Amino acid sequence: TPSSPATTAGRGTAADGPPVPLVKQTDGDGPPAVKLTPVARAPAASAPAAAAPATDGGRLRIGINETSESIQLAFPWAAPVAAAAFERSGYLWIIFDAPTLADLRGLGGGESGILAAQQIGHRRATILRLKIRNDLFPTMRRERATWLLRLSTGAGGASAQIPAVAQTNAVGGPRVFLPVIDTGRRIRVYDPEVGDELTVVPVLPSGHGVPVSQEFAEFRTLRTAQGVVVRAFIDDLEVTPRRNGIAVGNARGLVLSSAELVERTRNNRMFAASVKGLLMDYRGWRATAEEGFTKRKQALQRALATAPKSRRNDARWALARLYFAHNQIADTLALLTMMEADDPELPKQSNFRAVRGVSLLLSNRAEAAAKDLLHADLNRHADVGVWRGLIYLGQGQPEEANREFAAGAEIIQTLPQELAERVLIGWSQAAIEADDLTSLRVAVDQLDGFTGSRRAAGYASLMRGKAAERDEEPELALEHYAAAIAQDYRLSRARAEMARVEVELGLEQIDPTEAIERLEALRFAWRGDTYELRLMEKLSDMHIANSDYREALETLRQAVTYFPDSENARTLAQLMNAIFDELYLNGAANKLDPVRALALYYDFRELTPVGRRGDEMIRRLADRLVQVDLLERAARLLEHQVNFRLKGGEKARVAARLAVIHLLNKSPAEALAVLDGSRFGVLSDELTKERRYLRIRALVELNRTKEALESIAGDSSEPAELLRADIHWRNQDWAAAATTMRGLLAGRVDKDLPLSASDQNRVIQTAISLYMADDFEGLDTLTEQFAERMASGPHADTFRVLTHNIDPTKTEFRQLAGAIADTSQLEAFMTSYRNRLAVGGLSAIN
């Protein structure tokens, strides 16, 4: 999941002493502004990043190992050092508790996820600042003395939590303590993006960081992947590293806000008679301000440790409620699991089922949570209803979700702010989808009540924009979307950006091309939920309207891959199949360049339907490739069909078509192999003859003419005669070739019959055969029969040269005839196939 908004602000540094920035500019009398300088990118190392040597000429050499899914940086120190890593405003800070000069070559620039890299000088620490892509999130771990930083599009953050514990009774006054062993020194850095100062404490334990930003009256802890970062709101705040943790306080003691204690009421007046009492009391279960969480927890832990076996679950339940009310969900679930192990009947109790269901939901285990929260025993409990609303919303049932939220509306104000915001955001989304603008206004007004929360303000403006769209006030909607974007809370900003593009497109303030560009830019604004799915659906629609089928199919494939469990996944998959059918069955691909059409087919070949429709799709594409003489590519297409898709008689039929393509492409060996590899016992007489003639032709081109002649012995059909003519021609048996060719022309002697292009080719071949055989009498007869009809054809000049005023003593005529014979040999049989393909495509090969 993306980082908390409170953790993404900016980066830069100042030290405990005077800083020595490597790149520094001064803006007047204000704090130093650090200029981020991109570094030329070097090729990524092929070996694992951790294998990099510790130093290179006195510098810290950073190993890089980049894949399509992640980037891993290795920082190999000679001895273990404490480290910190955190994000702020799109920048990643990496701080080590030891000074050295880092070799930044290979970081930044190009198409890497690291856009720029910089080291900022410090006397006692190594401070690096990286500009990274918005969709990358860091995790950090240590292997001996080498720190490994991984940037990936998955979830980032710390693998082990450093909690912030309020200690109201500490010696020296109230303070906050972050327990962690082996802390490093305190390092102060100046962040030029935000213009404030941060206190950073690196730690040695691997992957230990602050999982969620927490705000106190006088300071805030930032979310980190490693170490601790504190942003002070007062001048005298002290951040003190100790051996067992980090103390945050000051000389007079911190002002720690206390939670209001509210007595649990089962029959509150705000509920209607039909609504059951409360099952969960967040305020009543929290520790009092006087007692404090830690003291209360320790007391309950002691009670659990001393409880007899028969009362152990009672003690666990008391401790679980404390954890639950303080949003320590993992600890809550652990205790509930132990309780169920001791008493399997416990889940039948409504209060147990409710607490477990909410805990599962807050742990992002919605399917398991639904089994508890949607149980009939929890019907009409208002405090369960608000969580049911989130379940129904996630299941795509906004009307049902809206009813549940409305039933528990009064409960929302009793929740801790973080949870209340989550519920109200869900309610506002359900209300807008259910077209309930009254409920929407109630939810948005409550969101407005959380002053200082960018998340609440951002979503309030976003939902007002949605309401304005429903009221057909697009200009007002754009104003609200601009306000949501200005709040700069990541998810509401991304949703508002997308909504703004759609409104501006509808108002024709932007054209489709600009809309697509802006929507594509939002692909990395937020990942992994219904926003990304909705964005990809919108982009695919626009690509289809723009006839950009490749982008449409690629976007849809990503949507189906990323969200396989979505209710829309099946619909999107069907849309992909419909686009593929439109391209390769209904002719839309004919508008594309043949090579592009083929490349698009191969990129999405998995969409080819099974059975006859798929085979027809492949045949049509192969036809197109043959028409533009892309024979080798057409052959590859049919090879896949023959090898993997077809069996029996249909395989033999398509193999014959593939053999024709191989022969036209001067690949007789491949033609022979495909015919021999696709034999089938029961075939039509027509297909059997077709395959036999093609095999003979392949033998001829392989100079196995004797075997070829034996194969057509006694066959007087036209294909057999054409093959004989080709064989005689190849063997330069001109008399036999002439006899065969004249036999083929016997039916065209009548001078009233027109000559086809094929007939004219045969006349020329006959004339050459007669000439090369010195049969001038036969040549005269041929001239008498065909001269008049050949005079206007494409071969008129050639025929005239071969048949008029021939002087046998002149060698130029023989040379001409020989040249024509060399360039025209073996065309009679294949010309017939070219003609058939031109008229009927591959289907003509039966």
Side-chain angles (χ1 to χ4, degrees), residues 79 96 98 134 169 211 323 346 356 387 479 528 542 552 644 726 774:
F96 299 105
N134 289 337
N169 297 318
Y323 284 141
L346 269 179
R356 186 176 67 177
W387 302 109
E479 292 180 14
M542 297 190 70
F644 302 108
D726 287 343
D774 292 328

Side-chain angles (χ1 to χ4, degrees), residues 537-612:
E537 290 176 348
K538 178 64 178 177
L539 273 170
S540 65
D541 290 343
M542 297 190 70
H543 287 313
I544 293 170
N546 220 25
S547 297
D548 192 344
Y549 299 110
R550 172 177 291 281
E551 289 298 330
L553 287 171
E554 183 61 40
T555 302
L556 288 169
R557 180 159 63 185
Q558 291 177 0
V560 172
T561 302
Y562 297 165
F563 302 94
D565 299 327
S566 166
E567 290 188 1
N568 290 348
R570 182 182 296 273
T571 302
L572 297 180
Q574 292 172 347
L575 177 57
M576 292 178 71
N577 290 326
I579 294 173
F580 212 63
D581 286 355
E582 182 67 20
L583 284 167
Y584 296 105
L585 285 179
N586 300 334
N590 293 339
K591 300 176 183 178
L592 303 176
D593 174 83
V595 175
R596 289 183 60 197
L598 180 64
L600 184 61
Y601 173 81
Y602 274 121
D603 286 345
F604 298 94
R605 180 190 288 179
E606 70 274 11
L607 298 176
T608 305
V610 297
R612 293 188 176 276

Side-chain angles (χ1 to χ4, degrees), residues 757-779:
S758 178
D759 293 333
Q760 293 186 45
N761 284 334
R762 292 177 186 178
V763 171
I764 292 294
Q765 290 176 325
T766 305
I768 293 171
S769 299
L770 290 168
Y771 186 88
M772 298 298 290
D774 292 328
D775 186 354
F776 296 105
E777 183 178 346
L779 194 57

Side-chain angles (χ1 to χ4, degrees), residues 464-500:
R464 285 197 177 95
K466 295 288 187 182
E469 278 197 73
R470 295 293 175 93
D471 290 337
E472 298 184 356
E473 297 182 275
E475 297 292 349
L476 179 60
L478 288 177
E479 292 180 14
H480 288 308
Y481 291 145
I485 293 167
Q487 288 297 325
D488 202 29
Y489 179 72
R490 196 167 167 189
L491 180 53
S492 58
R493 181 188 66 198
R495 293 181 184 273
E497 289 277 12
M498 182 169 68
R500 182 166 69 173

Side-chain angles (χ1 to χ4, degrees), residues 122 305 440 668 722 751 778:
H122 195 283
L440 177 67
L722 290 172
K751 295 182 179 181

Side-chain angles (χ1 to χ4, degrees), residues 255-328:
V255 177
L256 298 178
S257 58
S258 58
E260 179 184 359
L261 185 62
V262 177
E263 184 175 338
R264 178 172 178 169
T265 305
R266 287 191 173 273
N267 297 304
N268 197 295
R269 292 174 300 172
M270 65 183 176
F271 299 114
S274 62
V275 178
K276 298 179 182 179
L278 301 181
L279 294 174
M280 296 169 286
D281 184 2
Y282 286 91
R283 290 179 177 175
W285 291 350
R286 290 178 66 87
T288 64
E290 295 76 14
E291 185 177 30
F293 171 78
T294 301
K295 188 174 181 180
R296 177 62 176 162
K297 178 185 71 171
Q298 291 172 345
L300 292 175
Q301 288 174 334
R302 283 193 296 270
L304 174 58
T306 57
K309 186 175 182 179
S310 60
R311 301 298 302 274
R312 196 168 295 160
N313 267 355
D314 292 338
R316 286 173 178 154
W317 177 241
L319 183 57
R321 292 187 308 179
L322 176 70
Y323 284 141
F324 180 74
H326 286 270
N327 207 27
Q328 297 193 15

Side-chain angles (χ1 to χ4, degrees), residues 205-229:
S206 176
H208 280 57
V210 178
V212 179
S213 176
Q214 296 188 52
E215 187 162 325
F216 298 85
E218 294 159 312
F219 70 95
R220 177 193 299 137
T221 59
L222 273 59
R223 183 177 187 263
T224 66
Q226 176 73 26
V228 173
V229 180

